[in-house]
Amino acid sequence: MSKTAIITGGNRGIGLGIAAALVKEGWNLAICATREEAECAEVLTALRNDSPKVYYRKMNLAERESRETGLAAILKEFGKINLLVNNAGVAPEQRHDVLEMSLESYRRVMQINLEGPFFLTQAVAGIMIERRKHSQEPMSIVNISSVSANVASVSRGEYCISKAGLSMVTQLWAVRLAEHDIPVFEIRPGIIRSDMTAAVREKYDRLIAEGLVPQNRWGTPEDVGKAVAMLARGDLPYSTGQVIQVDGGQTLQRL
């Protein structure tokens, strides 16, 4: 049986790590991102070497029309959706103290990180519910949030707020979709080596060396990909709504 996954932001960083993990398990992929397909050619070629089918769709999560037309195109291409991975997200373009956060920065981050994933999930949930009426094949939703969902960073408050909101989105959809046997999960990555963290690499190299992360290393996109693959396989069938920490123990309480 073929399986189709949508991965937002699946062309680089954590999203690419997720895509690579799923293609190893035979998933068809719909990769959604804001870049032109030609700019992702190398990545897509590599994924297509391992996957039955990889489809790319340019999509801006912050725009309703882009979400709707993108989803319609994906359905036309594959006919069904078994997995939605809400991974795409942005950090503030400039880090400012919460006393100086601008309304423009707040709105940008919230539209992409929270509003977009919520309404994309709403649309996909409706599609999944309709398909569930005549199919018992696996379906699930995974939200990629962050340790910033409950760890405050006053220099990027809008990011923390968006991820905390996404955590509640997970709970809401987990409750709503449970009757349809569609589990919803949240993965909270910690300090992951990616393009998003490139600007603060020196800072976190130092903090990790000083013991910030008990497992004493950066996380990788592959670490997150393995967690998503586990959930996509259905390895936690009685755990909808749960949070999977992929943070090397960073958020453990310690004396």
Side-chain angles (χ1 to χ4, degrees):
M1 179 184 68
S2 65
K3 303 172 292 183
T4 299
I6 297 176
I7 308 173
T8 64
N11 61 317
R12 58 185 179 182
I14 288 175
L16 182 55
I18 294 167
L22 291 179
V23 298
K24 289 178 181 177
E25 303 201 4
W27 284 78
N28 293 319
L29 301 183
I31 303 292
C32 303
T34 56
R35 295 198 290 172
E36 297 293 339
E37 183 170 358
E39 299 177 70
C40 310
E42 184 176 347
V43 165
L44 295 175
T45 297
L47 291 173
R48 285 167 178 152
N49 286 336
D50 296 321
S51 174
K53 188 172 185 179
V54 175
Y55 173 73
Y56 182 82
R57 178 71 191 189
K58 184 179 179 181
M59 181 189 292
N60 185 343
L61 280 178
E63 297 177 359
R64 176 179 178 178
E65 183 178 357
S66 183
R67 293 193 302 267
E68 291 178 349
T69 57
L71 186 55
I74 291 167
L75 272 179
K76 183 178 180 180
E77 189 73 23
F78 292 105
K80 64 176 182 177
I81 301 165
N82 299 94
L83 170 66
L84 169 63
V85 182
N86 285 308
N87 165 74
V90 296
E93 292 179 324
Q94 293 182 324
R95 293 189 175 209
H96 289 297
D97 188 285
V98 288
L99 287 170
E100 301 168 347
M101 181 199 303
S102 71
L103 179 59
E104 292 74 21
S105 179
Y106 175 87
R107 284 177 172 170
R108 170 181 172 269
V109 172
M110 295 295 281
Q111 282 183 326
I112 297 170
N113 291 9
L114 184 56
E115 180 180 312
F118 177 85
F119 285 104
L120 182 61
T121 299
Q122 183 185 68
V124 169
I127 293 165
M128 288 181 168
I129 289 171
E130 187 62 29
R131 187 168 182 83
R132 178 60 81 218
K133 293 177 182 178
H134 53 81
S135 174
Q136 292 305 305
E137 62 192 297
M139 301 180 212
S140 58
I141 296 169
V142 179
N143 293 321
I144 309 299
S145 66
S146 167
V147 294
S148 294
N150 64 354
V151 177
S153 298
V154 295
S155 64
R156 53 190 187 116
E158 56 271 72
Y159 183 80
C160 296
I161 294 167
S162 72
K163 293 303 184 179
L166 189 60
S167 183
M168 177 51 70
V169 165
T170 300
Q171 295 175 60
L172 290 168
W173 286 116
V175 172
R176 182 62 185 85
L177 297 178
E179 66 182 274
H180 302 286
D181 191 26
I182 302 171
V184 184
F185 302 98
E186 176 187 352
I187 292 179
R188 289 185 187 169
I191 303 168
I192 305 297
R193 190 180 292 276
S194 70
D195 53 333
M196 183 178 284
T197 55
V200 290
R201 191 155 296 170
E202 185 176 332
K203 170 187 174 181
Y204 283 112
D205 280 343
R206 173 176 52 81
L207 290 173
I208 291 171
E210 292 172 353
L212 176 65
V213 179
Q215 288 192 259
N216 198 37
R217 69 169 175 87
W218 282 81
T220 67
E222 291 75 19
D223 291 321
V224 183
K226 289 175 182 178
V228 173
M230 172 194 69
L231 297 174
R233 284 194 303 268
D235 288 357
L236 296 180
Y238 196 56
S239 300
T240 191
Q242 294 306 301
V243 178
I244 310 297
Q245 301 278 168
V246 183
D247 66 356
Q250 179 189 348
T251 52
L252 293 171
Q253 293 189 17
R254 291 176 282 168
L255 289 174

